[in-house]
Amino acid sequence: EVQLVESGGGLVQAGGSLRLSCAASGFSVDNYAIGWFRQAPGKEREGVSCISRSGGTTDYKDSVKGRFTISSDNAKNTVNLLMNSLKPEDTAVYYCARPLSCGSSLIIGSWGQGTQVTVSS
């Protein structure tokens, strides 16, 4: 079964860090672009970061550049998002998914349940 499962969210104070993990099953993360997205209450889902197939390139939303780092672990078949210097505006449900390519709004497969990140001020 093809599946992506997010984990690692939680409650953290502003300035703190969290590491999100996206565990893939049914396919190899090395063969697909994998993106992290987030949706805050009352807002549309937005792309946060993406890593291309084979990990060749990475993209970041401007507001997270320099604070977030995306990486893939082929041995564990996961894609991780290390989030440092968190801000209250980073509060959202975070999802991982397979876009057709980094920058594409088209997703292969379905969305997972996501993981909640809450940053207190």
Side-chain angles (χ1 to χ4, degrees), residues 1-13:
E1 179 184 6
V2 174
Q3 197 174 13
L4 288 168
V5 178
E6 306 92 341
S7 64
L11 173 64
V12 64
Q13 288 188 333

Side-chain angles (χ1 to χ4, degrees), residues 13-85:
Q13 288 188 333
S17 299
L18 282 173
R19 181 175 176 270
L20 305 184
S21 183
C22 173
S25 57
F27 70 97
S28 172
V29 297
D30 196 44
N31 294 334
Y32 291 88
I34 302 293
W36 280 97
F37 303 79
R38 67 187 181 188
Q39 186 167 21
K43 295 187 177 181
E44 293 187 354
R45 185 150 37 197
E46 62 180 4
V48 175
S49 182
C50 185
I51 186 166
S52 65
R53 58 181 297 179
S54 301
T57 59
T58 57
D59 294 333
Y60 297 93
K61 178 179 173 62
D62 284 347
S63 63
V64 308
K65 284 180 180 177
R67 301 189 296 123
F68 291 11
T69 304
I70 192 170
S71 62
S72 61
D73 185 334
N74 293 337
K76 295 182 178 180
N77 210 30
T78 61
V79 172
N80 303 309
L81 185 68
L82 176 61
M83 306 185 297
N84 293 323
S85 302

